[in-house]
Amino acid sequence: MLSLDGIVGPATADYLIRGLAAAHEQNAAAVILRIDTPGGLDLSMRDIIRAILASPVPVISYVSPNGARAASAGTYILYASHVAAMAPATNLGAATPVALGGGFPKPDEKEPGSADKPAEKSPESRTDKSTDKGGDKSSAEQADRKPPAAPPQNASESKAINDAVAYIRSLAALRGRNADWAEDAVRSAASLSAREAHAQKVVDLIADDIPDLLAQADGRTVKVGNTDTVLQTKGLRVQHREPDWRTRVLSVITNPNLALMLLMVGVYGLIFEFMNPGALYPGVVGAICLLIGLYALSALPLTYAGLALVLLGAVLMVAEIFTPSIGILGIGGAISFVLGSLLLVDTETPAYEVSLPLVAGVAMASLGMTFLIARLALRSRRAPIVSGAEALIGQRIKVLSWTGEQGHVTAAGERWRAVGPAGLAPGDTVVIAAVRGVTLHVVADTALPPYEPSRGG
């Protein structure tokens, strides 16, 4: 028995795919997939469905316990399973693509520019296509079903809905389930209770618990691949396969907000390592976080434009350290990173949306880092030179020995060869005018005004 609890995402897809493979290796008679989900990512849902369709072990999906639901992506998974079952007081449906569900106007709201259109009939006055001929829909069923949504407003929405309809209808045809209601669940976000789903041939069984489910499923004929298989499930021992550490870790790091934070920690770790070569800790931690963040993002439905903007922003912020742009590259990198973060994940599933406060905080931190680096660079440029050959220029030093126009002097605690005016004697004070290799060019102390060494002179 496998459990699908919570949002359908990369972690749950990985867990279920590996669970189905393990069931085949152990020669299990069947797999019970217990479902309680509000939906999730389309990409992960399709991965799960492909694994179910390819599984040589029959899959019995069971919406359980009481009060559970198989909404949105859960409805598709239920339709794809060899046997679909529900516990009492559960529901399924609302399978409209999440990215589109929030964009349709409500039936009681007028669309822009529709003031002259006749008022739309109330949901109670509409004829429900899913009602059996000659019969009336019960009030309980009407309460469970949502009002039909308005038609798609653009070609993109229409393409997404038609694709979802074709997909769920193909699953319904494969398993012999109610395809018309499946289409209604996608187009109108319709929902059904367990009793009504069984009455409309959306699910095969209503079971109170696992033993009851196994007893009812026993003897049913299902199509596994191209072969008809008779289930022999009565009295089987149930082996629970809980999510392991890999699934739990993957479920944490595939949160796009955490993945984004890991990516930024990695970038700044490398920045600090470049600023202080040999520090090691920032570079090691940054490299690990960067790789984990990139792996987490690779498991999510990304947009290439968003990923390219995020990477460009990181590159520009790193380049700010090595290029005297006085903040231009850093500001551009922060802007690129913010835009890329907003476009990064191609979904509007609430659990996988990038947090706007987090993006704003990262942007402010990036700009603050950029301004700090720019300020340090300007301060360093104006600071006096305190090391190297240039720091010697302008210093007053003593002559150790002198013959003609050359001799030796002491500077910075060292003995230097020097050239300069004739007539100098040991003990005279001279001023360093220039440094040529290992030779100092000196002038008499009175030849130059008082000099303060700086980067400009």
Side-chain angles (χ1 to χ4, degrees), residues 184-207:
D184 197 21
V186 174
R187 295 192 183 278
S188 305
S191 297
L192 289 178
S193 64
R195 185 182 300 276
E196 292 155 352
H198 185 256
Q200 296 192 33
K201 297 183 178 180
V202 173
V203 298
D204 305 309
L205 305 171
I206 297 180

Side-chain angles (χ1 to χ4, degrees), residues 41-126:
L41 298 179
D42 177 79
L43 183 63
S44 300
M45 175 199 76
R46 290 177 183 261
D47 289 340
I48 295 171
I49 290 176
R50 279 194 291 268
I52 292 175
L53 297 180
S55 173
V57 181
V59 177
I60 304 173
S61 287
Y62 181 39
V63 186
S64 172
N66 294 346
R69 57 177 170 169
S72 190
T75 301
Y76 292 82
I77 296 173
L78 202 66
Y79 261 80
S81 302
H82 300 89
V83 177
M86 299 178 70
T90 57
N91 67 284
L92 82 164
T96 304
V98 175
L100 305 177
F104 297 162
K106 297 179 181 179
D108 57 349
E109 294 178 351
K110 292 184 178 181
E111 298 179 25
S114 60
D116 298 330
K117 294 182 181 179
E120 189 176 355
K121 294 182 180 180
S122 63
E124 292 79 62
S125 64
R126 292 193 182 98

Side-chain angles (χ1 to χ4, degrees), residues 35 47 50 74 89 97 145 170 177 252 267 280 305 322 331 372 374 386 412 417 449:
I35 298 177
D47 289 340
R50 279 194 291 268
R145 296 172 61 86
S170 67
R177 300 197 175 101
V252 172
V267 170
L280 297 181
F322 303 98
I331 295 174
L372 175 62
V386 295
R417 181 175 180 274

Side-chain angles (χ1 to χ4, degrees), residues 184-392:
D184 197 21
V186 174
R187 295 192 183 278
S188 305
S191 297
L192 289 178
S193 64
R195 185 182 300 276
E196 292 155 352
H198 185 256
Q200 296 192 33
K201 297 183 178 180
V202 173
V203 298
D204 305 309
L205 305 171
I206 297 180
D208 295 326
D209 50 29
I210 297 299
D212 184 27
L213 173 66
L214 294 176
Q216 294 190 53
D218 186 64
R220 295 184 66 91
T221 301
V222 297
K223 196 174 190 65
V224 180
N226 296 322
T227 306
D228 290 334
T229 302
V230 178
L231 297 179
Q232 297 179 355
T233 57
K234 189 173 182 179
L236 288 178
R237 179 176 62 88
V238 178
Q239 177 183 353
H240 296 264
R241 183 182 176 90
E242 300 297 335
D244 56 9
W245 66 269
R246 170 176 168 174
T247 301
R248 290 191 291 269
V249 170
L250 189 60
S251 65
V252 172
I253 66 174
T254 49
N255 183 312
N257 297 300
L258 180 59
L260 203 59
M261 291 177 63
L262 288 172
L263 192 64
M264 290 311 300
V265 170
V267 170
Y268 282 119
L270 295 181
I271 288 177
F272 288 132
E273 180 65 29
F274 293 149
M275 293 175 64
N276 300 278
L280 297 181
Y281 290 105
V284 172
V285 174
I288 293 174
C289 291
L290 186 62
L291 291 176
I292 294 176
L294 291 175
Y295 170 74
L297 291 176
S298 69
L300 296 170
L302 301 179
T303 59
Y304 290 111
L307 181 60
L309 285 171
V310 168
L311 295 178
L312 176 62
V315 170
L316 291 178
M317 285 186 284
V318 173
E320 174 65 32
I321 303 173
F322 303 98
T323 306
S325 65
I326 316 301
I328 299 301
L329 291 178
I331 295 174
I335 295 174
S336 177
F337 182 83
V338 169
L339 295 177
S341 300
L342 297 178
L343 300 174
L344 188 60
V345 183
D346 187 18
T347 181
E348 292 185 15
T349 303
Y352 288 95
E353 287 183 347
V354 177
S355 171
L356 292 181
L358 174 65
V359 174
V362 171
M364 294 301 295
S366 300
L367 289 175
M369 180 66 67
T370 298
F371 288 132
L372 175 62
I373 293 174
R375 181 180 178 183
L376 293 176
L378 290 175
R379 179 182 295 178
S380 175
R381 184 177 181 84
R382 296 193 183 102
I385 299 174
V386 295
S387 63
E390 293 183 356
L392 297 175

